[in-house]
Amino acid sequence: MSKKVLIVGGVAGGASTAARLRRLDEKIEIIMFEKGEHISFANCGLPYYIGGTIEERDALLVQTPEKMRSRFNIDVRVKNEVLSIDREKKEVKVKDLDSGKIYKETYDYLVLSPGASPIKPPIPGIDSPNIFTLRNIPDTDAIKEYLDNKKPKRAVVVGGGFIGIEMAENLYDRGLNVSIVEMADQVMGPIDFDMAQIVHQHIKSKGVKLYLKDGVKEFEYKDGVTRVTLQSGKTLDADIVILAIGVRADSKLAVDCGLEVNQRGGIVVDEYLRTSDKNIFAIGDAIEVVDFVNGSKTMIPLAGPANKQGRIVANNIVGRSEKYKGTQGTSIAKVFDLTVASTGNNEKLLNRMGKKYGKDYKIALIHSKSHAGYYPGAIPMTIKLIFNLKGKILGAQIVGYDGVDKRIDVIASAIRFGGTVYDLKELELAYAPPYSSAKDPVNMAGFTAENILKRDVDVIMCNELEKLDKNEVIILDVREEIERELGYIEGSINIPLDELRDRLNELDKEKLIIPYCAIGLRGYLAARILKQNGFKKVKNLSGGYTTYSCIFCQDEDGASKCGGATCDSNVDFNEGGDVEEIDVNKLEGKTIKLNACGLQCPGPIMQVYERMKTLENGDILEVTATDPGFINDINTWCRRTGNTLIKTEKRPKEFVAFIRKGTGGKITVKDNNNSNIVQTTNDGKTIVVFSGDLDKAIASFIIANGAAAMGRKVTMFFTFWGLNILRKPEKVKVQKGFMDKMFSMMMPRGSKKLKLSQMNMMGMGAKMIRNVMKRKNISSLEELIEQAKNQGVRLVACNMSMDVMGITKEELIDGVEIGGVASYLGAAEESNVNLFI
């Protein structure tokens, strides 16, 4: 007698189970229920159809109900929802959503593949008509129809996971102004913060605004626009909002019929994917699985594991006993031009595991080229390899532009077969210059890990530097002087690697010495030189300044740790018509091309430096490079050397910068009549806010917001009494001396306590002017401050004045940068208006 199998859910795992069952048993009766109208569609392709990369909607339909019936003889019932399960009678109650008819169907085996649903928390206004989630074909159709018909200009994507980032990219490709809001301190949860910072920098380089460590407080819809208010108080206006907060297991059927579920609602299964009822199996996003690396229970919603689970369940139903050995979470995503991939466990998870791993793991962090450096198009990738003290691989993360996919697959395979870092160094991988190097990046990760385990070199991670006693440490910059001009670790000393052997007497052997270079290689060589010359305490900075600058220098909170010019995360790749007024072909002066491809830092900058010596003022240098960091470096280098960065471009497998020698910040362009048009690039505005009076503070921010609204770069430098504008209204617990405490008590705490310069009248005047402003619908000072921050106005608090006035950084509102006179003068040099208020 043939078996009867019912399958609930017709996407991924469900469809795989049905097809495998039929291949194994021609006589088995198979009925598949799907409450939607589509089965076996490509979930992962939905954002790319919305963005236009996938042009045909039908390409998303991997299998149709009709084809499934004819090819596999499967009874496919779309728009049929399973309402309940009677385990004693071994039957389900089903509703035909078209006719409304309710009927029952018996089973020998039941397979649950219900998937998961997008999370929609109870946020006020979340059901506004221009707020969407993306999970299936109807969601896709609704979003695409809205984009095609309403032509929105501004989008807010809530959530920085896979769907959120992919939707942000595809909305950007459609020409929308995109903002991403993420409650965590990073996007892309499967990777660690240090790797995510590379992704953050790239996202910002596209002009996409990124709001981290901030959640949504409420949505307010009016006349086709939704105002998104964040927990921080910032507001964003959006014509369309995409919710990509995460997913929740669709396990109601399992719960209602008494099957065992975990705290997150995941259906509990054994190693054969059988539930607590021996006749019911479960697969896909809704189940609890075993973490392949550490053996703990977890939930990992990925398409690959779901399809494999479907095959295993089919095997078990027909008597081919097979275990599911766990999920290791191998994933990959396209983030604009970047590829981001991971497999196994990350540091965050290992640290949460506590005693099982604790700190009993090591990290190898390398920056390696995608293929041989001498072959065109070799672009670096960053590989983070995590392994235990015996060399067993626990996880890996890779961020890069080319060749990331095959490297993560190699490491994922090594993990699956219980491989070690020693296996990675021994792997014989395919090599030819267009595809790899004789020492593949995977081999290099293995070599580096072996060096660490064999104690050939000790390493220290960037985030560990802050914990060290600065009096007992020498941070040694072994890069060339020109590299140091582009930025360095605050407090470090510079001895170029090639001079190190002759200058060892300048270093104290009793102190811990931390050499660093651009990516870690020269730092490793320096460490070997030092250790073999009697220096016992030496640790190489893992990843070098490239990693350090990505972690710290692009954010206001960390910029104080960077010396010299810091990483500029706001460099734009000017693709398309963003700079129509700067047509390189119409620029006066001859253009010289420089190919710096294949060179890693400081190679491209050194080449530019040498070539610039041969050019005349006004000449243009067109530089191509394969080092992604070159774009940030050249922007900083031009500002510091008095040259002009005209524009940058991202081309396939290379980055291009157009630099004009000299010109004092002015660009001369030829118009169509061959007449000269001088365009001044120094159009920023600087405002020194000395006063702490309410009226003068309001005037300062009105001027600043007006200039920012015109697209100008605005810097406000707050000194002495002006610092009170930036103080938090609440009392902050900080350690202070007696005089500092006295100053704090006597000065107003924050903008709401400021007095008028005239007619204050014991505080009545300030209250009156605030009421008048409110009645006439004029933004309050506090609203003006938030508007300024949202528009990118740079708020700088004078470090010297803070010391004099006894004000600490902790007492200032969020978003304020601490700087000195140099910060102000640097901004003033790039401005054509400078006000003192």
Side-chain angles (χ1 to χ4, degrees), residues 324-341:
Y324 182 67
K325 298 177 182 178
T327 303
Q328 67 191 70
T330 304
S331 62
I332 192 165
K334 179 178 179 292
V335 183
F336 298 93
D337 303 319
L338 280 180
T339 301
V340 181

Side-chain angles (χ1 to χ4, degrees), residues 493-704:
I493 65 171
N494 182 218
I495 303 178
L497 178 64
D498 295 341
E499 302 175 17
L500 182 58
R501 288 183 180 89
D502 298 327
R503 298 175 61 181
L504 292 174
N505 61 328
E506 298 178 28
L507 302 174
D508 186 346
K509 287 187 176 182
E510 299 302 315
K511 292 186 176 182
L512 169 63
I513 299 178
I514 302 175
Y516 77 90
C517 61
I519 62 173
L521 177 57
R522 284 173 289 167
Y524 166 63
L525 297 176
R528 294 300 300 155
I529 291 171
L530 291 167
K531 290 192 76 171
Q532 293 179 80
N533 279 277
F535 290 83
K536 303 297 184 184
K537 296 184 287 186
V538 182
K539 290 187 177 184
N540 184 27
L541 183 64
S542 187
Y545 189 73
T546 296
T547 297
Y548 182 92
S549 61
C550 274
I551 294 175
F552 294 114
C553 303
Q554 64 170 306
D555 294 330
E556 289 181 6
D557 291 343
S560 61
K561 301 178 181 68
C562 300
T566 59
C567 241
D568 187 345
S569 61
N570 298 312
V571 175
D572 292 321
F573 290 112
N574 296 318
E575 300 165 335
D578 290 344
V579 287
E580 291 176 335
E581 72 277 15
I582 304 178
D583 184 345
V584 176
N585 295 320
K586 294 181 179 180
L587 283 169
E588 189 181 60
K590 63 182 179 181
T591 298
I592 296 91
K593 294 189 176 184
L594 172 63
N595 186 341
C597 293
L599 300 176
Q600 284 186 249
C601 184
I605 289 292
M606 294 291 291
Q607 292 273 327
V608 171
Y609 174 72
E610 293 298 328
R611 185 59 59 89
M612 275 292 187
K613 293 178 182 177
T614 68
L615 303 187
E616 300 291 335
N617 277 345
D619 287 348
I620 300 156
L621 188 64
E622 179 183 340
V623 189
T624 56
T626 48
D627 178 8
F630 169 70
I631 296 300
N632 284 321
D633 288 347
I634 198 63
N635 180 59
T636 302
W637 185 84
C638 286
R639 284 193 277 114
R640 291 178 65 85
T641 58
N643 297 294
T644 304
L645 180 62
I646 299 170
K647 72 169 189 172
T648 57
E649 292 178 354
K650 170 69 176 71
R651 295 176 185 169
K653 297 190 176 182
E654 65 183 21
F655 306 88
V656 186
F658 294 87
I659 309 158
R660 187 179 179 99
K661 183 171 181 178
T663 76
K666 295 183 179 180
I667 299 174
T668 303
V669 183
K670 293 283 189 180
D671 66 11
N672 293 329
N673 297 320
N674 205 36
S675 299
N676 288 342
I677 304 172
V678 177
Q679 298 180 334
T680 303
T681 58
N682 287 0
D683 60 355
K685 317 295 176 189
T686 53
I687 304 174
V688 179
V689 185
F690 176 83
S691 172
D693 294 329
L694 174 62
D695 44 340
K696 294 176 183 177
I698 292 171
S700 300
F701 277 96
I702 288 174
I703 295 169

